[in-house]
Amino acid sequence: MTLAVGQEDLLLDRAVQEVVAAARAADADTDVRDLTPEQLQPGTLAELTSPSLFAERKVVVVRNAQDLSADTVKDVKAYLGAPAEEITLVLVHAGGAKGKALLDAARKVGAREVACPKMTKPADRLAFVRGEFRAAGRSATPEACQALVDAIGSDLRELASAVSQLVADVEGTIDEAVVGRYYTGRAEASSFTVADRAVEGRAAEALEALRWSLATGVAPVMITSALAQGVRAIGKLSSARGGRPADLARELGMPPWKIDRVRQQMRGWTPDGVAVALRAVAEADAGVKGGGDDPEYALEKAVVVIARAARSRGRA
């Protein structure tokens, strides 16, 4: 018995696929039944798991187990108490309070559990991409992994597909330039690209990236967040003591590769410039959250102010 618990669809599907693959590796004729709560009516599980004259092996997958009816839950619990040797049961459960009694019952009898949590943090998606490259036996630079996450976004299926494409098409180490060639259009639509160009003082390119981002559906609040992160990183690093990237990374909570990037971006910045840029970001944030009539104008104004602040030392 296997429990796949969580709300990340790709990970849930992979957990099911691994069980099915293992069963068919042992017996190529294994029958697979993949059922929704609507299909698993009271009595259905008993029929599927009843002894067969031919000792037929089966994998029975129950999707959205938290939504099973009370009578069907009783059937599943009864089966958990006396499982059939030739049957592999997979319960796919969202976790949480709903249907917890069934989850607890499966855990109590020692079902193997596979965690499939929703990946809401950028760091988790970055770790996922790194893991995908490792699983494929390929090397990708930290910058390439970050660029892929920035370009593709939060959809794990699309991230996994992008890794597969790069692995299939590219020989040797996959770097940021390779990712840029494959996903230029999407990368340019990234809120982080807007922020990078702005803090580098490249106003025209930042505005172009901003307009592309908005045209392709990037939420304005995501852009203000990226701008804030970019300016804060400049401020943090400019006030930190000098040292190796690894030491600064621990002190500031940034990956070492980002320390190197921000060091390049901070040329031309002054403390006054950072203060001006942070005020511009705060005003833009208020503008896109209902404090202004035109969120697009609020963002354009912030980008211009930040780009000018990035060149403040050069004008002094």
Side-chain angles (χ1 to χ4, degrees):
M1 288 178 285
T2 294
L3 267 177
V5 184
Q7 299 179 34
E8 193 62 71
D9 290 341
L10 175 66
L11 301 183
L12 292 169
D13 286 346
R14 284 185 173 180
V16 172
Q17 290 163 9
E18 287 171 5
V19 172
V20 171
R24 285 184 168 160
D27 182 350
D29 294 326
T30 296
D31 183 25
V32 178
R33 303 295 180 92
D34 199 323
L35 306 169
T36 65
E38 294 76 20
Q39 294 170 316
L40 196 65
Q41 296 297 316
T44 303
L45 185 62
E47 292 177 14
L48 291 173
T49 58
S50 60
S52 168
L53 290 174
F54 304 101
E56 181 183 35
R57 298 191 68 85
K58 286 181 183 175
V59 174
V60 178
V61 181
V62 180
R63 302 276 180 176
N64 299 315
Q66 73 278 357
D67 295 330
L68 292 173
S69 68
D71 288 338
T72 304
V73 168
K74 291 179 183 177
D75 287 351
V76 176
K77 286 183 176 180
Y79 176 78
L80 293 175
E85 184 176 347
E86 69 276 10
I87 304 295
T88 300
L89 178 66
V90 183
L91 297 177
V92 181
H93 196 292
K98 188 176 182 182
K100 189 173 184 296
L102 179 57
L103 204 57
D104 292 341
R107 286 168 173 161
K108 188 175 181 179
V109 299
R112 182 179 72 95
E113 185 167 343
V114 181
C116 306
K118 194 73 175 175
M119 293 193 181
T120 57
K121 297 180 180 178
D124 293 337
R125 294 192 287 273
L126 184 59
F128 171 79
V129 168
R130 289 172 178 161
E132 291 291 288
F133 280 118
R134 282 197 300 271
R138 295 295 300 277
S139 175
T141 66
E143 295 87 349
C145 294
Q146 184 66 59
L148 197 60
V149 172
D150 290 346
I152 301 298
S154 61
D155 191 310
L156 251 57
R157 290 188 189 279
E158 292 194 23
L159 285 169
S161 177
V163 170
S164 297
Q165 181 180 20
L166 290 168
V167 166
D169 292 357
V170 180
E171 295 182 358
T173 299
I174 295 165
D175 59 19
E176 188 176 13
V178 170
V179 175
R181 286 200 303 272
Y182 272 74
Y183 299 100
T184 297
R186 299 183 71 159
E188 287 175 355
S190 163
S191 55
F192 290 100
T193 300
V194 179
D196 283 342
R197 299 296 86 81
V199 299
E200 290 162 4
R202 296 152 66 177
E205 293 176 40
L207 288 170
E208 181 182 359
L210 170 63
R211 288 160 189 154
W212 182 267
S213 295
L214 294 171
T216 54
V218 176
V221 69
M222 296 296 293
I223 299 172
T224 55
S225 175
L227 290 170
Q229 290 181 48
V231 175
R232 286 180 191 138
I234 297 288
K236 283 182 179 180
L237 193 56
S238 63
S239 61
R241 296 177 181 178
R244 298 179 305 168
D247 296 331
L248 287 170
R250 285 191 293 272
E251 180 184 343
L252 302 178
M254 299 180 191
W257 66 265
K258 189 170 184 179
I259 296 291
D260 292 334
R261 175 178 286 180
V262 176
R263 271 179 169 165
Q264 294 174 356
Q265 293 174 334
M266 63 188 286
R267 296 168 185 162
W269 280 91
T270 65
D272 287 344
V274 171
V276 168
L278 286 174
R279 284 197 296 272
V281 171
E283 290 174 5
D285 189 55
V288 303
K289 291 179 178 176
D293 296 328
D294 190 343
E296 184 172 335
Y297 172 73
L299 287 169
E300 288 181 352
K301 181 180 176 182
V303 163
V304 170
V305 171
I306 292 168
R308 285 177 179 168
R311 301 193 302 273
S312 57
R313 178 170 292 164
R315 294 198 310 273

